[in-house]
Amino acid sequence: VDQHDSAFDRGTAVEARGDGRYAATLGESWTIGPGRPNGGYLLAVLGRAALARAAAEGADHPHVLAANVQYVSSPSTGPAVVDTEVLRIGRTASQLRARLVVDGRPAVEALLTTGRLAEGTDPWWGAVPPVALPAEEACRRLPSMSPDGEERPSIRDVAAVRFDPACLGFLDGRPDGSAELRGWFRFADDAPVSPLALLFVVDAFPPATFALARTGWVPTLDLTAYVRAVPVPGPLRMRFRARVVHDGFVDEVAEVWDAADRLVAQSTQLAAMRIPPGVDPPDPVPPGGPEA
Amino acid sequence: VDQHDSAFDRGTAVEARGDGRYAATLGESWTIGPGRPNGGYLLAVLGRAALARAAAEGADHPHVLAANVQYVSSPSTGPAVVDTEVLRIGRTASQLRARLVVDGRPAVEALLTTGRLAEGTDPWWGAVPPVALPAEEACRRLPSMSPDGEERPSIRDVAAVRFDPACLGFLDGRPDGSAELRGWFRFADDAPVSPLALLFVVDAFPPATFALARTGWVPTLDLTAYVRAVPVPGPLRMRFRARVVHDGFVDEVAEVWDAADRLVAQSTQLAAMRIPPGVDPPDPVPPGGPEA
């Protein structure tokens, strides 16, 4: 599949409407609940609009380097607009705001930094070794998580995510207490993962708290993503970890490596986490937590 | 010192001007270069305005839980305004935008999530043990870093930061290669550190890359801070680590613990890092980096 005819590129396409406004269509294939687009997908749509705006302003900044996003309301699929504002066009990097508006309501607000990532370079220095994983064939796709068991379009149709079976105890009601999900990512159509698509990848896993305890959904309040390099062709590896659960909030960190073992994307998010009465943490922990 | 008469509270005070606008005065004591306010201080001023706005809208959300910030231009000290916009007033959390404008130019843009942190609670679960440090008395304040050796007002007057001597090799031109700075934080006037003040604390250290290699300044492009708990009285401990240096960018992670060993704040930032010709990384590293 050519990158410019991939499901991702079609699903995140935007069209200039003038005055920094871009039109988009939020696709059914990018949902996690009935008709509810995935947060990483929405961020990628905002990123696409920000890149179009930066280009329209004459910036040679074809990549989103950093993105902060607040999920304000959960939009429906269908027509949407993205309003962009240029904060600064710089030499190394440019800074923009973008807002996704659906049915006249703000749905997602983002701050984006754009620039140019070199291709084929290695890190100058790094302290984040790649996650160890069984072979992709030995990893498992998740069964449908839809509450009523009905099969609907969802990101499972476009994202082929395979998890290390060792972290999937939660599927049988036995979270392993590690608060860590690990797995492989590739697009179902085998399209190359562009730097822009990494904004989708960092939010393509279920909450890492699934591997900690049985709780309800864990809605993201605030997400930050950094894109560090252009991935080489091949499947990506991802690790998604919860760090601290305190007073109804949890922070989760994602790291993504390409087939050349390079860290290509990172994210951190703060999510609300309601813990049902009677659910205890997996281990008694000292105030500061166990050794990481 | 009473919290409401602290240097921090005076330095970050805002006054409502109507229509979501707040007036502030950026103080000389909160600078890092001649007349250049520190980034964490600016974020705290934005946070103060966002809390005032949330209160004006009737939200019972006295704490900033999460903040994303883009540094657009480096403002001067003196009069400034903060324009706020409410994105959503929710039950658990509210979301706002805020923009610091100085001399008619946007200087800092932020997205803020506000809510209420419980006091005196322990984490339900955590995987971030506190950093080990020598006693505060055995740690060292930094000498003045001003290029011309002239003593000027700076955050050294208001923030008493003491570093573990083991990470200060860079002062003698011998960075230890760890990319980690560790130390104690308290306000010079011994005022309690409020949750809002943690937005200042997470950016009160020099770049962690000082403990990696001799490079120039490392300007922050994008910073995200999470506030997790109301600190108990007493000095804070902080660890600030660089993670990956690639293509002229570095990400740095800060963690802050209170005197009860609880993680009270976290931050991550992406910064530009120009590496002078002839400066090599401290160790030959495999593509993914050494063991963290």
Side-chain angles (χ1 to χ4, degrees):
Chain A
V1 178
D2 180 73
Q3 184 173 311
H4 300 287
D5 191 35
S6 68
F8 176 79
D9 279 5
R10 287 193 307 272
T12 57
V14 298
E15 199 177 310
R17 289 281 190 258
D19 284 334
R21 170 165 286 194
Y22 296 84
T25 304
L26 306 179
E28 292 288 343
S29 305
W30 301 88
T31 51
I32 42 171
R36 294 297 163 192
N38 163 267
Y41 165 69
L42 296 174
L43 177 54
V45 172
L46 288 166
R48 181 81 77 188
L51 292 176
R53 179 70 193 274
E57 302 287 330
D60 180 28
H61 290 157
H63 302 126
V64 173
L65 306 181
N68 307 124
V69 56
Q70 280 191 341
Y71 296 99
V72 178
S73 64
S74 180
S76 314
T77 54
V81 296
V82 180
D83 287 318
T84 61
E85 179 188 3
V86 174
L87 299 171
R88 186 174 70 98
I89 299 290
R91 199 164 48 87
T92 309
S94 294
Q95 295 166 311
L96 301 98
R97 272 184 59 219
R99 172 176 295 180
L100 183 78
V101 180
V102 179
D103 293 331
R105 292 175 61 206
V108 185
E109 184 82 16
L111 299 176
L112 300 116
T113 303
T114 64
R116 177 178 284 278
L117 296 166
E119 291 191 48
T121 56
D122 282 324
W124 185 80
W125 183 83
V128 187
V131 63
L133 284 179
E136 196 178 359
E137 313 79 67
C139 289
R140 285 175 58 189
R141 297 194 69 170
L142 289 189
S144 167
M145 306 285 273
S146 87
D148 55 8
E150 192 127 337
E151 284 298 335
R152 295 190 190 80
S154 84
I155 61 168
R156 288 169 43 80
D157 302 329
V158 284
V161 179
R162 290 180 180 271
F163 294 88
D164 182 346
C167 62
L168 293 182
F170 70 87
L171 291 176
D172 307 311
R174 288 189 300 273
D176 67 3
S178 68
E180 175 174 314
L181 296 178
R182 301 173 297 279
W184 296 89
F185 177 94
R186 63 168 76 225
F187 280 122
D189 62 5
D190 260 326
V193 178
S194 62
L196 183 70
L198 291 170
L199 299 180
F200 167 67
V201 174
V202 295
D203 199 34
F205 273 33
T209 54
F210 281 12
L212 179 61
R214 298 182 73 170
T215 68
W217 194 244
V218 184
T220 302
L221 294 169
D222 184 276
L223 183 144
T224 292
Y226 300 150
V227 178
R228 307 302 303 274
V230 180
V232 298
L236 302 169
R237 280 161 294 167
M238 181 157 146
R239 177 174 60 201
F240 192 31
R241 292 192 282 192
R243 306 289 282 155
V244 172
V245 180
H246 197 161
D247 272 343
F249 298 98
V250 59
D251 66 299
E252 297 175 289
V253 172
E255 290 152 322
V256 183
W257 294 266
D258 72 1
D261 281 355
R262 303 177 317 152
L263 186 79
V264 293
Q266 299 160 284
S267 80
T268 182
Q269 59 179 282
L270 189 71
M273 181 177 177
R274 199 153 296 152
I275 297 159
V279 172
D280 293 318
D283 288 304
V285 283
E291 197 60 43
Chain B
V1 177
D2 180 74
Q3 184 174 312
H4 300 287
D5 191 35
S6 69
F8 175 79
D9 279 3
R10 287 192 308 272
T12 56
V14 298
E15 200 176 309
R17 290 280 190 261
D19 283 335
R21 171 165 285 194
Y22 295 84
T25 304
L26 306 179
E28 292 288 343
S29 306
W30 301 87
T31 52
I32 43 169
R36 294 297 163 193
N38 162 269
Y41 165 68
L42 297 174
L43 177 54
V45 172
L46 289 166
R48 180 82 76 189
L51 292 178
R53 180 70 193 274
E57 302 287 331
D60 181 28
H61 291 157
H63 302 126
V64 173
L65 306 180
N68 306 125
V69 55
Q70 280 192 341
Y71 296 101
V72 178
S73 64
S74 179
S76 315
T77 54
V81 297
V82 181
D83 287 318
T84 62
E85 180 188 2
V86 174
L87 299 170
R88 186 175 69 99
I89 299 289
R91 199 164 47 88
T92 308
S94 294
Q95 294 166 310
L96 301 98
R97 270 185 62 220
R99 172 176 296 181
L100 182 77
V101 179
V102 178
D103 295 331
R105 293 175 60 206
V108 185
E109 184 83 17
L111 300 176
L112 300 116
T113 303
T114 64
R116 177 179 285 278
L117 295 166
E119 292 192 48
T121 56
D122 282 324
W124 185 79
W125 183 84
V128 187
V131 62
L133 284 179
E136 196 178 1
E137 313 79 67
C139 289
R140 287 175 57 190
R141 297 193 69 170
L142 289 190
S144 167
M145 306 287 272
S146 87
D148 54 9
E150 192 126 338
E151 284 298 334
R152 295 190 190 79
S154 84
I155 61 167
R156 287 168 44 78
D157 302 329
V158 284
V161 178
R162 291 178 180 272
F163 294 88
D164 182 345
C167 62
L168 292 181
F170 71 87
L171 292 176
D172 305 314
R174 289 190 298 274
D176 67 2
S178 68
E180 175 173 314
L181 296 179
R182 302 174 296 279
W184 296 89
F185 177 95
R186 63 168 77 223
F187 280 122
D189 62 6
D190 259 328
V193 179
S194 62
L196 182 70
L198 291 170
L199 299 181
F200 167 67
V201 175
V202 295
D203 198 34
F205 273 33
T209 54
F210 281 13
L212 179 61
R214 298 182 73 172
T215 69
W217 194 244
V218 185
T220 303
L221 295 170
D222 183 277
L223 184 144
T224 292
Y226 301 150
V227 178
R228 308 301 304 274
V230 180
V232 299
L236 302 169
R237 280 161 294 167
M238 179 155 145
R239 177 174 60 200
F240 193 31
R241 293 192 281 192
R243 304 290 283 157
V244 172
V245 181
H246 197 161
D247 273 342
F249 298 99
V250 59
D251 66 299
E252 298 174 290
V253 172
E255 290 152 323
V256 183
W257 295 266
D258 72 2
D261 282 355
R262 303 177 317 152
L263 186 79
V264 292
Q266 298 160 285
S267 80
T268 182
Q269 59 179 282
L270 189 71
M273 180 177 178
R274 199 154 295 150
I275 296 160
V279 173
D280 293 319
D283 288 304
V285 283
E291 197 59 43

